[in-house]
Amino acid sequence: MRIVITGANRGIGLELARRYLERGDHVDAGVRNPEAARELAALGKDAGGRLRVFACDVADDTSVRAFAAAIGDVAVDVLLNNAGVMGKWLSLADLDFADVTRTFDTNAVGSLRVASALLPHLRRSSVRKVVNVSSRMGSIAENTDGGAYAYRMSKAALNMATKSMSIDLRGEDFTVISLHPDWVKTDMGGPGAPTSVEEAGAGIVTLIDRLSRADSGGFFHFRGETIPW
């Protein structure tokens, strides 16, 4: 298969690229600065040309369009919208609204930009899976702590985009889901997170392989449980 992964230079994105390459898939990776993505580039040494790394800033329309064009006229089987930012965790009285906007633009609108730009590539495949990496912090039903406005709002909006995409594309046999990768030991998640990047990566790949059309429009934990909106 051909897998497209945004934010593939570190953390979960890097681990997913490694796993897909190890099993023989092709990976097209989008990162903001390819020259700085040394760990990602190292994965390609033994991949026989199955890894391609492109510049892609998901918060920039021009960059996303250039990314889609650089991939070329190939069929994309799975799109993993993984790129995201945490944003500042500030109180209601101290919000940085420029940061709120930046977080929303990257986490919610960014995934929408990439999905729209790569729609022709996905239509060339019979697999047609779009996986938006969300968070259960975007679940309205599970929000009992408040706060984290920028991050929560961006992920809730991403979940709505997932639902709309699943409806708009259901006549074309697409599978579109939101995915909670758990709290993972990454630069974003921090060292105190309970789940290793290896465990999360393995679980995500397994879940994506199992997805069927019946799952489209759902919100899932990487272990398979359904998360309430």
Side-chain angles (χ1 to χ4, degrees):
M1 293 197 301
R2 182 173 298 275
I3 318 295
V4 171
I5 306 172
T6 62
N9 58 307
R10 62 181 182 175
I12 294 171
L14 181 65
E15 176 65 15
L16 289 169
R18 182 182 69 79
R19 289 185 176 274
Y20 279 117
L21 288 170
E22 283 185 349
R23 75 177 199 178
D25 293 315
H26 293 259
V27 173
D28 288 340
V31 300
R32 280 185 294 178
N33 184 1
E35 293 183 1
R38 296 182 181 87
E39 289 183 81
L40 178 62
L43 295 179
K45 292 180 179 179
D46 298 319
R50 288 181 290 105
L51 172 66
R52 300 190 298 171
V53 181
F54 303 99
C56 180
D57 181 350
V58 302
D60 183 275
D61 293 347
T62 301
S63 178
V64 171
R65 286 196 297 268
F67 174 54
I71 287 176
D73 296 328
V74 297
V76 171
D77 299 296
V78 178
L79 167 60
L80 266 155
N81 277 313
N82 170 70
V85 295
M86 181 65 74
K88 298 178 181 177
W89 288 35
L90 301 172
S91 71
L92 181 60
D94 297 322
L95 285 174
D96 178 340
F97 290 104
D99 177 73
V100 172
T101 301
R102 181 180 71 92
T103 303
F104 194 93
D105 193 21
T106 300
N107 292 355
V109 185
S111 294
L112 200 59
R113 284 188 184 96
V114 176
S116 178
L118 291 184
L119 195 54
H121 301 75
L122 289 157
R123 282 173 169 153
R124 294 186 182 103
S125 167
S126 60
V127 179
R128 300 183 179 185
K129 293 180 179 180
V130 179
V131 178
N132 295 321
V133 178
S134 183
S135 168
R136 69 190 321 150
M137 288 189 68
S139 167
I140 294 173
E142 291 196 356
N143 184 0
T144 58
D145 298 322
Y149 288 92
Y151 190 71
R152 287 189 188 278
M153 289 169 63
S154 70
K155 293 302 187 180
L158 176 60
N159 289 345
M160 181 58 80
T162 294
K163 189 65 176 180
S164 285
M165 277 191 269
S166 73
I167 293 169
D168 291 343
L169 297 171
R170 62 188 171 190
E172 300 181 58
D173 289 330
F174 274 71
T175 302
V176 187
I177 69 156
S178 282
L179 169 72
H180 172 57
D182 211 57
W183 181 14
V184 183
K185 289 184 178 73
T186 62
D187 290 346
M188 183 182 288
T195 303
S196 71
V197 70
E198 294 81 10
E199 181 184 1
I204 291 168
V205 170
T206 298
L207 175 68
I208 292 173
D209 285 344
R210 289 203 309 254
L211 288 175
S212 69
R213 308 289 189 238
D215 298 313
S216 194
F219 185 13
F220 298 96
H221 188 282
F222 82 83
R223 293 191 179 93
E225 71 176 90
T226 300
I227 298 174
W229 298 114

